Amino acid sequence: MNRTRPLLALLSLLFLAISLILLWFVILSGITRTSPLRQTYFLRADTSGISGARAVSQWTYFKVCGLNNLDCGPARPALPLGDAWDSNPSGAPAGLTGKYGGHTTSHYFWYMWRFGWVFFLLALFFETLTFFSGFLACLGRVGAAVSGMVASLALVMLSVAVALMTATFVKMRNHFHRDGREAHLGRYAFGFSWAAWAALAISTVLFLLAMLQRDKNHYVNRRSTYDTNGHDHVVADGPVTGSGGRKRGVFNWGRRSNSGKSFDGRRVKDDY
């Protein structure tokens, strides 16, 4: 077995584990108050003066919370971003509100975040599959190939997720700025998301490199060509044994009848 493949597979699993941990930090933000989860949010904005909203709102994966992820609302899957305020709110920035999510969220932000939310879960699912299949990559090329393909699919899902997340909350921040309100992106959530993407990308490349590694005990066909009586004589050896000797392979070209001839092409018995 090639000794490089297990090493590449273990490095792949290490980066994949890092990606999974960072992804869980993003998904569990707002669920507990322990660090770094309480500092993890996608956007913090001044929502004072908006009907039904807190003075400061922080958007996390499952909830909309107050400052430092306290005073959170109920956890909801793919929550509308307008969950921070009442239906048909007054004082909310133009472009954020609409008829979606119980008349709290505009068409654009409703679909952008719902798709981004789902792709985060899909990425988590395929990354988990890759982690368990990654142990097979230590055993052979087939396991490395399967892990590389599943990791590539997870990378596509996470790429879509972080791209939609970035577009959604950057535009949302800009709407608050145009309304004269303070808002800034959560450095922890964005840092964890993009770091998870980078770690997964490195893991995928390492799995593919492990797949390309060939075993040392594969058949190596060697050809030696020399001229005998005007004809090429080709001999192909089989696998190289561990002791350095060679076994004669099944591919042998040339005729053994030529072995009875001298170098000038005449039979040896003709000289006598």
Side-chain angles (χ1 to χ4, degrees), residues 27-109:
I27 292 175
L28 294 178
S29 59
I31 301 298
T32 65
R33 299 179 182 179
T34 58
S35 183
L37 298 181
R38 64 185 179 88
Q39 294 98 350
T40 305
Y41 54 86
F42 295 111
L43 180 71
R44 174 191 288 175
D46 174 19
T47 52
S48 60
I50 302 176
S51 57
R54 304 165 181 81
V56 175
S57 296
Q58 294 183 171
W59 282 263
T60 66
Y61 190 77
F62 280 108
K63 300 179 179 182
V64 178
C65 300
L67 190 63
N68 295 323
N69 284 351
L70 301 175
D71 187 25
C72 297
R76 297 177 60 183
L79 80 166
L81 296 181
D83 204 46
W85 42 72
D86 289 335
S87 299
N88 298 311
S90 60
L96 296 182
T97 59
K99 64 179 182 179
Y100 294 87
H103 296 277
T104 61
T105 311
S106 67
H107 173 273
Y108 176 85
F109 289 101

Side-chain angles (χ1 to χ4, degrees), residues 1-15 134 137-139 203 206-207 209-210 213:
M1 178 184 293
N2 193 311
R3 295 182 180 180
T4 307
R5 184 185 300 118
L7 178 60
L8 290 173
L10 290 176
L11 286 175
S12 301
L13 288 172
L14 175 62
F15 280 101
C138 300
L139 304 178
S203 176
L206 291 176
F207 273 128
L209 289 177
Q213 298 297 313

Side-chain angles (χ1 to χ4, degrees), residues 61-179:
Y61 190 77
F62 280 108
K63 300 179 179 182
V64 178
C65 300
L67 190 63
N68 295 323
N69 284 351
L70 301 175
D71 187 25
C72 297
R76 297 177 60 183
L79 80 166
L81 296 181
D83 204 46
W85 42 72
D86 289 335
S87 299
N88 298 311
S90 60
L96 296 182
T97 59
K99 64 179 182 179
Y100 294 87
H103 296 277
T104 61
T105 311
S106 67
H107 173 273
Y108 176 85
F109 289 101
W110 169 262
Y111 283 107
M112 284 288 286
W113 180 232
R114 287 182 79 85
F115 278 105
W117 193 93
V118 169
F119 274 99
F120 266 108
L121 286 187
L122 290 175
L124 179 65
F125 172 74
F126 284 109
E127 279 198 50
T128 305
L129 286 183
T130 307
F131 184 79
F132 289 108
S133 67
F135 292 98
L136 298 177
C138 300
L139 304 178
R141 296 181 66 187
V142 176
V146 172
S147 301
M149 288 188 293
V150 181
S152 299
L153 187 56
L155 182 61
V156 171
M157 299 299 172
L158 189 56
S159 299
V160 176
V162 294
L164 290 175
M165 178 268 295
T166 302
T168 298
F169 289 103
V170 167
K171 285 196 172 186
M172 195 172 177
R173 178 202 60 184
N174 295 340
H175 278 290
F176 279 108
H177 285 174
R178 282 194 289 268
D179 199 54

